[in-house]
Amino acid sequence: MHVTVPVDLPGRAYDILIGPGVLDQAGALIAAMGGRKHVCILTDANVAPLHLAALQDALTADGLTAEALVLPAGEGTKSWRHLEQSVEWLLAQKVERGDVVVAFGGGVIGDLAGFAAAILRRGVRFVQIPTSLLAQVDSSVGGKTGINSPSGKNLIGAFHQPSLVLADTALLGTLPARDFLAGYGEVVKYGLLGDAAFFDWLEAEAPALARGDMDARVRAVQRSCEMKAEIVQRDETEQGDRALLNLGHTFCHALEAATGYSDRLLHGEGVAIGCALAFELSARLGLCSQEDPSRLRAHLREMGMKVDIRDIPGDLPDAEALLAMMGQDKKVKDGKLRFILARGIGAVFITSDVPREAVLAVLQDALRT
Ligand code: GLY
């Protein structure tokens, strides 16, 4: 039992298959794509012991051979060093232009493997098999690939669409609760940015989803992927509307920088806090009612998530320093900043008309309360 979400890009169309057990179809689906019968898998040291044997069995059952490179888990792997290691390993495996590389892991492995596939022999096909909720609803879809630079996150990369995404929702069962909830931050983001009815549904069903209800998990991943696919089809390379997917991310980037990209704050946790701050800012600017940020905060609290800046453990810099860390200080024009703001739940827009003082005040209050 699975659902399929198509991503309809001209010449680069692909399907996202979502459901428990879709991993078992990996062999048949990849064999049908052509290329050599040898599949190279990039994965990490957390995923490999849990799920690599199942993937290799699925591939060999359909007459493929499979080799895996197991990289260290964690954001540090999105580096020049591990990109070089990955590309050289793929070359040693004699990957050819028609072959398929598999990214088997969370967002880090998906971004790194996708970028390695983009630059290897000027581009080989790759299949995303995301194992985290965050990767299933966001990073494995849409073709953003890349690594971090010492100068900042995701500064080196390419748009390179996968040829297939297999989101096996049964794999989510082995995620630590904190990682699952961090990924849920990205799910909430979709309700907030474009589908109020989905947000209503999440308020009712997300506690069951967190407890493991498989139908709810499939539905949440499906709706998130549908919304992402629709935006990516409209604006693949982020000339406009794709930036809506960055709701909450401007605040999130500052908080991630302030916590040194450490496990004090996971990306999805920062997205959830950032969405709450973006809604708070919108309410203060008179764009939406104060009820909207309050409702969002109540839902995140009910889910046991971090909601406010004060929920982040340890000291944080002051509001001025956080504003500078948004990377926005250089983009200020006539005292105005660029943000994704909301006219209500499910109705966000991009604006370059946010007074610097309003953002500062939101941050100052958030640090105080
Ligand atoms: N994660 C944002 C995007 O794919 O555009």
Side-chain angles (χ1 to χ4, degrees):
M1 191 269 307
H2 70 259
V3 293
T4 301
V5 176
V7 183
D8 193 9
L9 290 165
R12 302 179 300 297
Y14 57 96
D15 284 338
I16 309 164
L17 271 53
I18 303 159
V22 293
L23 188 70
D24 299 343
Q25 299 179 43
L29 292 165
I30 292 173
M33 290 167 68
R36 275 187 317 154
K37 298 273 175 224
H38 183 65
V39 177
C40 296
I41 304 163
L42 295 175
T43 188
D44 76 25
N46 284 347
V47 172
L50 294 171
H51 304 300
L52 183 57
L55 174 59
Q56 285 179 316
D57 286 350
L59 295 170
T60 50
D62 278 275
L64 301 167
T65 54
E67 282 293 328
L69 176 65
V70 181
L71 294 158
E75 188 73 26
T77 298
K78 271 175 63 169
S79 64
W80 284 116
R81 188 159 77 79
H82 292 100
L83 178 69
E84 180 181 6
Q85 183 188 355
S86 302
V87 169
E88 292 298 337
W89 179 76
L90 291 168
L91 289 172
Q93 291 288 319
K94 307 206 178 339
V95 172
E96 296 166 10
R97 278 299 283 281
D99 291 351
V100 177
V101 171
V102 171
F104 189 45
V108 167
I109 287 295
D111 285 7
L112 174 79
F115 189 39
I119 59 176
L120 189 79
R121 298 187 183 278
R122 298 198 177 87
V124 300
R125 295 175 300 171
F126 80 114
V127 172
Q128 288 271 20
I129 307 185
T131 56
S132 70
L133 182 58
L134 186 135
Q136 293 194 354
V137 299
D138 188 49
S139 58
S140 69
V141 176
K144 278 190 182 174
T145 72
I147 57 169
N148 301 326
S149 143
S151 303
K153 274 185 78 172
N154 295 327
L155 292 181
I156 302 137
F159 285 100
H160 186 53
Q161 298 292 341
S163 301
L164 175 70
V165 181
L166 298 177
D168 188 329
T169 46
L171 303 184
L172 303 177
T174 55
L175 284 180
R178 187 179 174 199
D179 288 333
F180 184 88
L181 284 179
Y184 181 72
E186 296 276 4
V187 177
V188 173
K189 181 192 79 176
Y190 287 103
L192 297 172
L193 76 84
D195 188 347
F198 183 45
F199 186 80
D200 294 346
W201 181 84
L202 289 171
E203 282 181 317
E205 299 298 331
L209 180 155
R211 282 194 302 272
D213 181 313
M214 195 54 80
D215 288 344
R217 287 184 172 191
V218 172
R219 176 79 196 109
V221 175
Q222 178 186 3
R223 186 66 195 122
S224 302
C225 288
E226 284 169 353
M227 293 183 69
K228 179 144 190 186
E230 198 270 316
I231 290 174
V232 168
Q233 282 160 198
R234 242 190 292 146
D235 177 23
E236 184 182 3
T237 56
E238 202 167 314
Q239 307 302 310
D241 276 3
R242 186 162 180 168
L244 296 173
L245 294 169
N246 295 335
L247 173 64
H249 282 63
T250 307
F251 286 109
C252 172
H253 288 155
L255 296 172
E256 284 184 299
T259 49
Y261 302 98
S262 68
D263 70 358
R264 280 172 67 197
L265 183 72
L266 304 180
H267 177 70
E269 294 174 333
V271 170
I273 296 173
C275 286
L277 289 169
F279 269 76
E280 179 63 34
L281 178 59
S282 303
R284 291 196 190 189
L285 293 172
L287 294 163
C288 67
S289 87
Q290 187 59 51
E291 207 184 304
D292 292 330
S294 302
R295 190 175 156 199
L296 169 57
R297 282 203 187 91
H299 177 55
L300 298 174
R301 277 268 174 256
E302 196 198 344
M303 295 299 291
M305 297 172 68
K306 291 188 175 67
V307 181
D308 296 309
I309 291 185
R310 302 296 302 169
D311 295 332
I312 302 168
D315 292 333
L316 286 169
D318 66 14
E320 282 282 2
L322 283 177
L323 187 61
M325 285 175 179
M326 283 179 176
Q328 287 268 14
D329 50 332
K330 288 191 244 19
K331 292 189 204 142
V332 177
K333 220 173 148 222
D334 302 328
K336 303 284 170 68
L337 300 165
R338 189 162 183 270
F339 268 88
I340 317 297
L341 293 182
R343 294 201 177 85
I345 287 175
V348 303
F349 64 102
I350 306 162
T351 175
S352 301
D353 193 23
V354 182
R356 187 180 187 281
E357 294 313 315
V359 182
L360 249 195
V362 165
L363 289 170
Q364 278 161 347
D365 291 349
L367 286 163
R368 243 195 313 268
T369 50

